[in-house]
Amino acid sequence: MEDDTGERSSFVIGLIENRAKEVGVAAFDLRSASLHLSQYIETSSSYQNSKTLLHFYDPMVIIVSPNKLAPDGMVGVSELVDKFYSSIKKVIMARGCFDDTRGAVLVKNLAAKEPSALGLDTYYKQYYLCLAAAAATIKWTEAEKGVIITNHSLLVTFNGSFDHMNIDATSVQNLEIIEPMHSSLWGTNNKKRSLFHMLKTTRTTGGTRLLRANLLQPLKDSETIKARLDCLDELMSNEQLFFGLSQALRKFPKEIDRILCHFCFKPKKVTSEVLGIGGARKSQILISSIILLKTALDALPLLSKVLKDAKSFLLANVYKSICENEKYATIRKRIGEVIDEDVLHARVPFVARTQQCFAVKAGIDGLLDIARRSFCDTSEAIHNLANKYREDFRLQNLKIPFNNRQGFYFSIPQKDIQEKLPSKFIQIIKHGNNIHCSTLELASLNVRNKSAAVECYLRTELCLEALMDAIREDVSVLTLLAEVLCLLDMIVNSFAHTISTKPVDRYTRPQFTDNGPLAIDAGRHPILESIHNGFIPNNIFLSEASNMVIVTGPNMSGKSTYLQQVCLIVILAQIGCYIPARYATVRVVDRIFTRMGTVDNLESNSSTFMTEMKEMAFIMQNVSQRSLIVMDELGRATSSTDGFAIAWSCCEHLLALKALSP
């Protein structure tokens, strides 16, 4: 697999539909080796459910079939991708690639869990669309990336997106969950004006991605929410545990979820055609993954020491499933038999290259030892050349930095250059207060040094083949480790850290009820209170007897802020975090709908009236007894008023706003 660093999405999504308005989705995360299957009936002609899923996954590739079997009045998933996701790579695969029978076999063979646990063994004919999408997605991934997926290595979830609270893409924007509205007007220094950026204090990339996923799809399972809140209670009452976990998590690599790729995906048979720079790059990433895994396993004893006396169910379960699992010690022992104990994960480019070249113990491969000597000789010759130039040209401040693209080059401060550089120096570039350049001698040594490093990578990969096969046998425990570390990172470094930075008792634990009211006492807007001092708290009470609140007031009086505040507090409660209020009791919400003002939509040739009608139609088709509806600028059109009355009759919690001019 290619290296995929940073927070950029690594999802490949397969989409297929039938004439009964059913859509099957298979989302394959290349970074964390997980496959998420969903199948649902599309209730909106504008494909709102599909848009919500695509907004959640933010894919880098979307796979569709060439036949547009869209029902009458529906645009079809292929046209949906062309119209709304034109910047994302679209792949059209033959209809035969969407084979549900093949998909069922693949899921059975590749899933880390038994298919019965996924609910697919008995009802695979009913959910044939998502299995067909899975077959096409896996086929494209293996062909495009040149890998074979290891059996029983993938984390497979079914219908996961609808086991969580559903927030459509429009509501995500209205509530400023991920990005602030009108961010271009606020400027680049205003990132804290979204809930995601306010909580984004995680240390790992996987923790950040998990935080984003939880905000877009909060939990609906009250037991899971309670377990997270109990964990937060213990962290807030036990400073030693909180700071101990913070320090222990710092020992783990930030790219902990990326190390799974090379153990879940096995490269296809190597030929002489790929033994070059491209093959060396893949070998380098593989070596880096082994070093990352070694670093993570070395940090487990400290995590075990911190969690040993933890009382909450979540932390105690982590200790039992991770710290007491002997398979991690077995994997660490196997790594120690091949990898040198002094090798560490490094971010500095040349240090990382050196660590990767010397990862395997000396004496295991004779050709590798020869390539290492050549690498050391050329590296030493480069530094000797730099010393020679310092003396010959009286450039005492000449430095010899390194980057992966250029290799070694010279950096000379401009103040040290009296007239101009000698003719020996070439490729002269001004870079700030320094001059970057090279020489023919340095270029020749760079080529030899890189060639020696490439040989080291290829020989090291051959030495690691047996180790990789041994680790792949226990890949499920590595998947569990990555999941646990990402979850701990989100709870400790995001939730607990955010709460600890606030004054005492500013954030409180929400209480959940099955049939009780939604009651918030002295609630505050979680985003705005971090920007403005003296934020005035507000209350809200909704029950079965009084399930509607109409808020009125002049322009700029804070009506929209109040509506946002209630929704954001509910979202925070259902991701298992404390909320900015004195007290709150919350009923689990399955969907949040927002309608905060509309204007003419020229792209779809829709007036304000037509846009409101479409929004209300979508809400009425999807509203349930446990939905929360927030409406701004209500009553501007007859459609909104009628739709509001219908929605009110079938929803237990309804917030409405009637704006009055001053």
Side-chain angles (χ1 to χ4, degrees):
M1 297 294 295
E2 295 296 331
D3 190 15
D4 183 37
T5 57
E7 297 171 21
R8 184 177 61 86
S9 173
S10 55
F11 276 97
V12 176
I13 285 188
L15 283 175
I16 189 171
E17 64 180 336
N18 62 14
R19 289 188 177 274
K21 297 186 178 182
E22 281 188 291
V23 178
V25 180
F28 194 0
D29 189 356
L30 303 181
R31 186 182 180 95
S32 61
S34 57
L35 179 65
H36 307 281
L37 306 177
S38 299
Q39 184 165 325
Y40 51 89
I41 297 177
E42 189 59 76
T43 57
S44 170
S45 61
S46 57
Y47 284 77
Q48 285 293 338
N49 291 326
S50 300
K51 288 180 183 179
T52 300
L53 273 183
L54 290 175
H55 183 267
F56 171 71
Y57 290 121
D58 187 22
M60 62 179 185
V61 178
I62 299 178
I63 302 170
V64 296
S65 63
N67 297 329
K68 301 176 182 178
L69 302 178
D72 295 337
M74 302 187 76
V75 297
V77 292
S78 183
E79 292 186 11
L80 173 75
V81 174
D82 291 336
K83 185 175 181 180
F84 296 100
Y85 304 96
S86 57
S87 61
I88 299 175
K89 180 179 179 181
K90 175 185 172 183
V91 176
I92 299 178
M93 295 186 69
R95 185 63 181 82
C97 297
F98 291 82
D99 186 346
D100 57 301
T101 304
R102 174 64 176 164
V105 173
L106 285 173
V107 169
K108 181 179 179 180
N109 293 335
L110 301 180
K113 297 180 181 178
E114 291 296 326
S116 57
L118 306 174
L120 290 172
D121 55 339
T122 306
Y123 305 103
Y124 72 92
K125 291 184 179 180
Q126 180 180 351
Y127 301 122
Y128 69 97
L129 285 176
C130 64
L131 293 174
T137 303
I138 293 172
K139 182 180 180 66
W140 181 88
T141 301
E142 291 188 335
E144 181 72 14
K145 302 298 181 180
V147 297
I148 300 173
I149 302 175
T150 307
N151 285 342
H152 306 298
S153 64
L154 295 185
L155 172 65
V156 181
T157 61
F158 175 68
N159 221 23
S161 61
F162 298 99
D163 290 336
H164 297 73
M165 181 202 296
N166 193 296
I167 309 174
D168 60 272
T170 302
S171 297
V172 170
Q173 181 180 3
N174 289 339
L175 298 176
E176 300 180 309
I177 296 176
I178 303 299
E179 292 291 340
M181 296 180 67
H182 314 298
S183 57
S184 59
L185 299 178
W186 288 98
T188 57
N189 295 326
N190 205 56
K191 286 295 186 180
K192 285 291 183 182
R193 291 197 71 255
S194 76
L195 187 62
F196 173 61
H197 288 98
M198 187 195 80
L199 295 172
K200 188 182 170 184
T201 53
T202 50
R203 293 191 56 80
T204 65
T205 305
T208 303
R209 289 153 58 88
L210 181 62
L211 173 63
R212 180 183 182 275
N214 274 260
L215 290 174
L216 290 175
Q217 293 186 342
L219 301 170
K220 286 199 304 187
D221 181 32
S222 58
E223 292 299 321
T224 306
I225 298 171
K226 181 179 180 296
R228 290 188 181 182
L229 292 172
D230 290 342
C231 176
L232 270 180
D233 286 345
E234 185 173 13
L235 290 172
M236 292 297 97
S237 60
N238 188 340
E239 291 186 2
Q240 184 178 358
L241 177 63
F242 173 51
F243 290 109
L245 267 179
S246 298
Q247 292 299 320
L249 292 174
R250 289 175 183 269
K251 301 294 183 182
F252 289 92
K254 291 185 177 181
E255 305 86 353
I256 184 63
D257 59 329
R258 181 169 61 88
I259 67 176
L260 296 174
C261 292
H262 289 285
F263 307 113
C264 297
F265 305 116
K266 187 175 182 179
K268 293 182 179 179
K269 187 176 180 180
V270 179
T271 63
S272 58
E273 296 178 358
V274 301
L275 290 178
I277 299 300
R281 176 59 180 160
K282 292 181 179 180
S283 301
Q284 186 181 8
I285 298 170
L286 184 147
I287 300 166
S288 177
S289 296
I290 290 286
I291 297 175
L292 283 170
L293 178 58
K294 173 181 174 293
T295 304
L297 295 178
D298 286 341
L300 275 180
L302 178 59
L303 181 66
S304 176
K305 181 180 178 181
V306 174
L307 292 177
K308 187 175 182 180
D309 298 323
K311 305 298 182 184
S312 63
F313 173 79
L314 192 151
L315 295 181
N317 194 39
V318 169
Y319 179 80
K320 182 179 179 180
S321 59
I322 299 295
C323 302
E324 293 184 348
N325 194 330
E326 297 180 356
K327 289 186 177 181
Y328 296 108
T330 303
I331 295 174
R332 180 63 183 87
K333 183 179 178 181
R334 289 174 177 171
I335 293 175
E337 294 171 355
V338 181
I339 301 298
D340 194 285
E341 292 295 329
D342 295 330
V343 172
L344 299 172
H345 174 61
R347 290 184 173 275
V348 180
F350 185 69
V351 176
R353 173 183 279 192
T354 305
Q355 294 285 331
Q356 292 158 5
C357 288
F358 287 85
V360 173
K361 290 182 176 180
I364 293 181
D365 186 285
L367 294 176
L368 175 59
D369 293 340
I370 294 173
R372 285 171 173 172
R373 284 197 293 270
S374 176
F375 175 77
C376 291
D377 291 342
T378 52
S379 299
E380 184 179 0
I382 289 172
H383 285 85
N384 290 337
L385 180 65
N387 291 332
K388 180 176 180 295
Y389 287 166
R390 291 189 187 101
E391 295 178 1
D392 293 349
F393 302 109
R394 297 180 180 178
L395 298 171
Q396 298 303 318
N397 293 320
L398 181 145
K399 296 180 180 179
I400 183 76
F402 174 89
N403 62 42
N404 290 322
R405 184 177 61 85
Q406 292 178 262
F408 289 98
Y409 59 94
F410 295 125
S411 178
I412 308 170
Q414 286 190 7
K415 62 181 181 179
D416 291 358
I417 303 174
Q418 301 300 329
E419 297 180 358
K420 64 178 182 179
L421 285 172
S423 59
K424 182 182 285 288
F425 292 95
I426 59 175
Q427 298 176 347
I428 301 173
I429 300 174
K430 182 179 179 182
H431 189 272
N433 294 325
N434 297 318
I435 296 293
H436 292 178
C437 56
S438 182
T439 65
L440 293 176
E441 294 174 282
L442 179 60
S444 176
L445 288 172
N446 260 330
V447 171
R448 291 166 55 191
N449 184 265
K450 185 174 183 179
S451 177
V454 167
E455 182 65 22
C456 288
Y457 298 150
L458 297 176
R459 298 305 307 178
T460 300
E461 182 180 9
L462 294 176
C463 296
L464 295 177
E465 282 185 355
L467 176 62
M468 293 292 294
D469 291 337
I471 294 176
R472 287 190 180 103
E473 295 177 1
D474 296 322
V475 69
S476 59
V477 298
L478 299 182
T479 304
L480 177 63
L481 176 63
E483 286 182 19
V484 166
L485 291 176
C486 293
L487 178 62
L488 287 177
D489 182 37
M490 181 181 70
I491 293 177
V492 176
N493 292 323
S494 178
F495 297 172
H497 173 79
T498 299
I499 298 167
S500 65
T501 57
K502 306 294 182 182
V504 180
D505 297 332
R506 295 286 288 177
Y507 273 60
T508 186
R509 171 175 176 154
Q511 303 299 320
F512 281 87
T513 176
D514 292 332
N515 300 309
L518 168 64
I520 301 174
D521 179 31
R524 304 179 307 281
H525 196 291
I527 303 171
L528 294 183
E529 77 157 350
S530 62
I531 301 175
H532 302 293
N533 296 325
F535 191 88
I536 300 175
N538 297 280
N539 304 330
I540 182 70
F541 183 86
L542 291 171
S543 65
E544 292 184 1
S546 176
N547 67 338
M548 179 187 68
V549 172
I550 298 179
V551 184
T552 63
N555 291 339
M556 299 300 293
S557 60
K559 302 183 297 297
S560 298
T561 299
Y562 178 74
L563 297 180
Q564 276 190 343
Q565 170 186 309
V566 175
C567 292
L568 293 178
I569 286 177
V570 170
I571 291 171
L572 282 175
Q574 287 191 218
I575 66 175
C577 183
Y578 284 9
I579 59 173
R582 183 184 301 136
Y583 171 82
T585 176
V586 181
R587 184 184 298 189
V588 174
V589 173
D590 65 347
R591 297 194 71 150
I592 290 181
F593 300 96
T594 65
R595 221 211 107 253
M596 294 189 174
T598 53
V599 294
D600 294 347
N601 191 330
L602 299 180
E603 293 182 358
S604 61
N605 195 26
S606 300
S607 64
T608 301
F609 178 79
M610 178 62 71
T611 304
E612 287 185 351
M613 288 184 66
K614 289 180 179 179
E615 290 181 354
M616 291 307 306
F618 171 70
I619 293 175
M620 288 185 288
Q621 289 171 346
N622 293 278
V623 69
S624 73
Q625 290 292 324
R626 303 194 71 87
S627 298
L628 177 64
I629 304 177
V630 173
M631 297 185 179
D632 196 351
E633 302 294 341
L634 180 64
R636 292 173 56 191
T638 305
S639 63
S640 293
T641 307
D642 295 343
F644 162 72
I646 297 174
W648 179 20
S649 65
C650 59
C651 182
E652 294 182 357
H653 289 165
L654 180 64
L655 264 177
L657 172 65
K658 173 73 174 181
L660 298 178
S661 301

